[in-house]
Amino acid sequence: MDVELHFKVQDLNARYVHAIDEDRLEEWPDFFAEDGRYRITTVENVERGLPLSLMSATSRAMMRDRVNSLRNANVYESQRYRHAVGAAVIEPAAGGIVRAATNFLV
C-alpha cells in the first residue's frame, strides 16, 4: 500500500476528530462527499444483520440538518469530547475507492 495514502488517511482522521473535539460541528459534514453516508448502529444490530441505526444520514445535507438540530432544537447538557485514534487499516475497493477503518476511543 502507498505510504502517501496512509499519511493522507491519517491526516483526514486527525482533522475529523479535531473538528469534533473542538466543537466545530458545522465543519463535520465537509469531511464527506455530497452523497456520503454516516451511520451509528449497535454492534448487536450489525451482528444480526439488522438495518436499524441510532443515527443515519444519507447525504451531506442530512448531516448539516443534524448539526442544525443539535445546535438549535435539541436540549442536551454541554458535552466535551476527546478522541484517541488508532492506526488506520486501508484496503483498496472496486472503482478506485479506498476503504479505511480506524479504531478509536472517546
Side-chain angles (χ1 to χ4, degrees), residues 4-101:
E4 184 177 342
L5 179 60
H6 275 276
F7 284 124
K8 286 180 179 180
V9 170
Q10 181 178 331
D11 182 65
L12 174 68
N13 282 337
R15 290 177 186 283
Y16 179 92
V17 298
H18 191 68
I20 294 170
D21 291 349
E22 297 298 316
D23 196 34
R24 298 189 331 260
L25 301 181
E26 288 73 14
E27 296 174 24
W28 170 67
D30 296 331
F31 287 94
F32 296 84
E34 280 298 326
D35 62 348
R37 297 176 184 271
Y38 184 83
R39 183 175 171 225
I40 301 172
T41 189
T42 64
V43 68
E44 292 84 7
N45 282 359
V46 170
E47 289 171 349
R48 294 180 181 127
L50 299 174
L52 184 63
S53 299
L54 301 171
M55 179 184 160
S56 179
T58 58
S59 69
R60 190 185 296 165
M62 285 181 75
M63 293 176 215
R64 290 194 195 291
D65 286 344
R66 179 66 180 154
V67 171
N68 186 45
S69 176
L70 284 169
R71 294 288 195 213
N72 300 303
N74 298 339
V75 179
Y76 295 107
E77 283 190 40
S78 180
Q79 298 180 10
R80 302 292 282 173
Y81 295 101
R82 185 62 55 201
H83 287 76
V85 180
V89 175
I90 302 170
E91 298 174 346
I97 294 174
V98 174
R99 294 190 182 274

